[in-house]
Amino acid sequence: MSKKILFTRIYPKIAQTQLQEAGFKVTLRETDTPFDHKELIEKSKEHDAILCTLTDKIDDTFLNECSHMDIISQFAVGYDNINVEKATELGIPIGHTPEALNEATADIAFGLLLATSRKMFHQHKKIIHGKWGSFTPTGDLGIEIKNKTLGIFGLGRIGMEMAKLCKAAYNMNVIYHNRSRNKHAEKTLDATYVPFEELLTQSDVISLHCNLNEGTREIFNKDAFQKMKSRAIFINTARGPVHNESDLINALQTGEIWGAGLDVTNPEPMNPNNELLQMPNVCVLPHIGSGTEETRDEMARMAANNIIEFYKNGTVPNVVNPEAIMNKTTTLK
Ligand code: GLV
Ligand code: GLV
């Protein structure tokens, strides 16, 4: 009997095509909204595997009720919506989609940096609200980033791309803080490892490219913002909960830092009345880092392939928890 795969959202067509060609039965989602949690669990009970994403809570409750799942295939590189430890215990491998979105996400980080440094969103809003007065020699000026110091928090694949862009375009000096040293970056980008404290005090721009975990949750808080330069720009395209949002608002209001560009907020979605949206030195986007046609297609291809390979060969090409596979062997019947 062919295995049944539940799609929790509308994904690029290629995911469906690949799975159907490989003999799977795919249940598509008709509307582009997340399932509520109960519905997600009920539907998942009728399926062997799911193709899910950040908006699906794969928590303890889900995993207890759906411990029969063969594989959970996540359409994203980040997987903080999934209780990985529990899934591993249950022998459920989790696939994800790294690499595919490195460049698209770095583009958004770089774009936000430029947009923030020149107050672009604010200027755009001024026009919409009929406030394009005359050319003003000293009003609403931005700041330049050329030759300044870029501090990367979490220098992995996406951080590397961001550093490359900033170096090529603005000859920025790259420093970074990571759990482990990135020798490759040190060699190819002349990046310098610094302790967290130094990253805060030396950077003109801090760009976040880390995972969300208990070590990074709200690490950018009051304490951290106070140590940053008053002319610093804070960029977060990683995960909203890496910063404490009221501390960020406060840091901007009191001039502890100069500006912020966010593609992720804490929480998401951002409330439209959030003070950040009124600030001239802040640019906010609704979590679109990987949002290009090319990248989303590639992520869909990878997410489908993780399922196909698992049933075919017992391996998941891009797996979060390889230990889980040891605990379970399933074949496509
Ligand atoms: C997007 O945020 C992702 O993790 O892929
Ligand atoms: C600005 O538009 C200038 O011409 O300097």
Side-chain angles (χ1 to χ4, degrees), residues 278-297:
Q278 304 306 324
M279 296 185 189
N281 304 1
V282 174
C283 296
V284 186
L285 293 172
H287 203 146
I288 58 158
S290 66
T292 68
E293 293 176 11
E294 295 86 346
T295 292
R296 291 281 165 86
D297 274 354

Side-chain angles (χ1 to χ4, degrees), residues 100-152:
L101 44 65
N102 296 349
E103 290 170 14
T105 306
D107 283 347
I108 288 296
F110 186 72
L112 278 172
L113 171 55
L114 214 49
T116 303
S117 73
R118 299 298 299 273
K119 307 186 185 180
M120 286 189 203
F121 290 20
H122 169 66
Q123 302 289 10
H124 181 83
K125 281 185 275 186
K126 274 190 356 197
I127 300 173
I128 295 172
H129 296 125
K131 293 194 174 138
W132 182 349
S134 57
F135 173 83
T136 45
T138 56
D140 264 338
L141 303 181
I143 56 175
E144 294 184 10
I145 52 185
K146 197 189 301 170
N147 296 329
K148 291 195 175 166
T149 295
L150 168 70
I152 301 263

Side-chain angles (χ1 to χ4, degrees), residues 53-54 74-81 96-98 101 105 158 237-239 263-264 268 287-290 296 299:
T53 191
L54 350 147
Q74 165 95 338
F75 178 88
V77 62
Y79 42 82
D80 46 280
N81 56 309
H96 70 146
T97 62
L101 44 65
T105 306
I158 302 171
T237 58
R239 282 294 183 269
D263 184 43
V264 290
E268 285 178 20
H287 203 146
I288 58 158
S290 66
R296 291 281 165 86
M299 289 164 67

Side-chain angles (χ1 to χ4, degrees), residues 60-226:
D60 240 44
T61 314
F62 177 96
L63 290 163
N64 280 326
E65 303 238 3
C66 300
S67 57
H68 69 283
M69 284 269 122
D70 290 330
I71 172 171
I72 291 168
S73 182
Q74 165 95 338
F75 178 88
V77 62
Y79 42 82
D80 46 280
N81 56 309
I82 302 174
N83 184 335
V84 176
E85 203 178 316
K86 175 94 185 172
T88 307
E89 258 170 46
L90 293 169
I92 305 173
I94 297 156
H96 70 146
T97 62
E99 306 293 348
L101 44 65
N102 296 349
E103 290 170 14
T105 306
D107 283 347
I108 288 296
F110 186 72
L112 278 172
L113 171 55
L114 214 49
T116 303
S117 73
R118 299 298 299 273
K119 307 186 185 180
M120 286 189 203
F121 290 20
H122 169 66
Q123 302 289 10
H124 181 83
K125 281 185 275 186
K126 274 190 356 197
I127 300 173
I128 295 172
H129 296 125
K131 293 194 174 138
W132 182 349
S134 57
F135 173 83
T136 45
T138 56
D140 264 338
L141 303 181
I143 56 175
E144 294 184 10
I145 52 185
K146 197 189 301 170
N147 296 329
K148 291 195 175 166
T149 295
L150 168 70
I152 301 263
F153 183 71
L155 189 60
R157 300 166 284 223
I158 302 171
M160 287 277 288
E161 288 303 322
M162 172 63 169
K164 262 191 235 166
L165 291 176
C166 291
K167 239 186 135 59
Y170 294 109
N171 188 36
M172 291 180 84
N173 166 44
V174 180
I175 61 177
Y176 76 99
H177 183 77
N178 239 15
R179 271 176 307 188
S180 52
R181 294 278 288 262
N182 184 333
K183 298 281 183 195
H184 176 62
E186 292 180 15
K187 219 154 101 197
T188 57
L189 294 170
D190 204 17
T192 307
Y193 173 86
V194 293
F196 184 54
E197 182 98 5
E198 266 177 56
L199 188 89
L200 298 174
T201 56
Q202 290 183 16
S203 301
D204 298 301
V205 174
I206 291 192
S207 191
L208 274 47
H209 300 283
C210 57
N211 291 323
L212 172 63
N213 54 48
E214 286 324 302
T216 61
R217 187 176 294 276
E218 302 207 354
I219 190 167
F220 284 86
N221 53 21
K222 189 167 189 284
D223 243 30
F225 292 126
Q226 274 172 350

